[in-house]
């Protein structure tokens, strides 16, 4: 089966611009998660979708971040306007059964804000 | 919430050496996974191991759930093993989200 796909793999944008990251989960996985690792720190949870609904968005840092999952398939994470501290690697993961059989992560999108 | 602590924070090895990385967690967990973030930033799943022992080539992992720790063993290390190793847990009543440790940064020298 295809894994979790993220694109772009790398994005360099200027402060104040908008960037949209995309994640395609494993087909049939209702649960989709966004995480990020910024400034060399630990990887932190951003939010969790179950199908098209936001189950938990407690990790979203502020209202410059908007995540959507239309139709319960792929998801997008938009950062508008981007700030320097948003630089880091953004990961998407998906799972069946709320992670009882583990989580599969995508390769990540490296975002650099200059 | 659950606390996850990894040790050591940094490790430098000579190629061919063995190492053990540790992950302690503060509460019972549904799930525990070990990941390797390579120098290109990609996060590679190594083991899904909420309990017991698993082996995959030069890597193996053991989780003792009752004592709330997990160990990752790397034998005959290679330069390609360099990167950051993360332990992550999914606790009961956590709503299915993983809590990551701070990572162990491994550098293997030729």
């Amino acid at each position: 089966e295809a894994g979790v796909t993220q694109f772009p793999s790398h994005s360099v944008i200027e402060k104040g611009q908008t960037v949209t990251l995309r994640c395609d989960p494993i087909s049939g996985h209702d649960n989709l998660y966004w995480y990020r690792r910024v400034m060399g720190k630990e990887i932190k949870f951003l939010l969790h979708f179950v199908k098209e609904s936001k189950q938990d968005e407690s990790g979203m840092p502020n209202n410059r971040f908007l995540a959507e999952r239309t139709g319960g398939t792929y998801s997008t994470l938009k950062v508008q306007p981007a700030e320097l501290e948003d630089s880091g690697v953004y990961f998407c993961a998906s799972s069946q059964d709320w992670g009882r059989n583990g989580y599969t992560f995508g390769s990540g999108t490296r975002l650099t804000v200059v | 919430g659950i606390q996850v602590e990894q040790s050591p924070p940094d490790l430098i090895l000579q190629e061919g050496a063995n190492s053990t990385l540790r992950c302690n967690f503060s509460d019972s967990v549904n799930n525990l996974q070990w990941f390797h973030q390579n120098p290109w930033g990609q996060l590679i799943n190594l083991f899904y191991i909420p309990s017991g022992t698993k082996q995959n080539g030069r890597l193996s992992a053991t989780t003792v759930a009752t004592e709330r720790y997990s160990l990752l063993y790397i034998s005959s290390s290679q330069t390609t093993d360099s990167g950051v190793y993360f332990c992550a847990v999914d606790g009961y009543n956590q709503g299915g989200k993983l809590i990551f440790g701070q990572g162990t940064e491994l550098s293997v020298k030729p």
Side-chain angles (χ1 to χ4, degrees):
Chain A
E1 70 182 356
V4 176
T5 305
Q6 292 186 246
F7 52 94
S9 57
H10 193 183
S11 179
V12 181
I13 61 172
E14 293 185 352
K15 176 182 172 180
Q17 289 187 322
T18 297
V19 63
T20 300
L21 314 181
R22 174 168 168 149
C23 169
D24 287 71
I26 292 174
S27 178
H29 281 195
D30 288 340
N31 294 276
L32 185 150
Y33 310 81
W34 284 98
Y35 292 82
R36 71 172 183 174
R37 186 183 188 212
V38 297
M39 304 285 285
K41 297 181 180 176
E42 66 262 37
I43 299 172
K44 288 200 169 178
F45 168 83
L46 295 177
L47 88 160
H48 170 201
F49 284 100
V50 178
K51 298 185 180 178
E52 67 276 8
S53 299
K54 291 177 184 174
Q55 178 69 26
D56 181 354
E57 52 184 331
S58 62
M60 295 288 264
N62 52 59
N63 59 11
R64 296 185 294 103
F65 290 75
L66 175 64
E68 295 180 324
R69 191 181 182 195
T70 307
T73 54
Y74 70 90
S75 174
T76 58
L77 179 65
K78 183 192 296 188
V79 185
Q80 179 181 29
E83 298 290 344
L84 299 179
E85 65 263 25
D86 300 331
S87 295
V89 184
Y90 289 75
F91 296 103
C92 174
S94 72
S95 74
Q96 286 181 313
D97 301 329
W98 294 69
R100 277 196 282 274
N101 293 302
Y103 301 81
T104 302
F105 277 72
S107 296
T109 294
R110 180 178 292 276
L111 174 64
T112 304
V113 183
V114 296
Chain B
I2 290 182
Q3 304 298 312
V4 182
E5 292 185 0
Q6 292 185 242
S7 59
D10 304 281
L11 186 58
I12 299 175
L13 297 177
Q14 205 64 39
E15 198 169 27
N18 303 328
S19 63
T20 301
L21 281 55
R22 187 176 179 105
C23 171
N24 292 333
F25 44 97
S26 61
D27 205 345
S28 300
V29 297
N30 253 340
N31 174 13
L32 185 147
Q33 286 183 251
W34 282 97
F35 298 91
H36 174 216
Q37 187 178 26
N38 63 25
W40 296 271
Q42 297 171 321
L43 199 63
I44 310 300
N45 180 48
L46 298 176
F47 294 102
Y48 164 68
I49 187 165
S51 63
T53 297
K54 291 186 179 180
Q55 180 155 8
N56 184 3
R58 295 180 297 102
L59 303 182
S60 65
T62 294
T63 297
V64 183
T66 52
E67 297 186 24
R68 299 181 185 166
Y69 72 88
S70 183
L71 302 174
L72 177 69
Y73 306 96
I74 304 174
S75 64
S76 304
S77 58
Q78 300 176 357
T79 56
T80 52
D81 295 331
S82 296
V84 185
Y85 289 80
F86 289 101
C87 165
V89 303
D90 165 13
Y92 295 103
N93 302 318
Q94 290 292 312
K97 67 186 183 193
L98 286 173
I99 307 298
F100 283 78
Q102 306 95 319
T104 292
E105 183 151 14
L106 174 65
S107 179
V108 181
K109 304 296 186 185

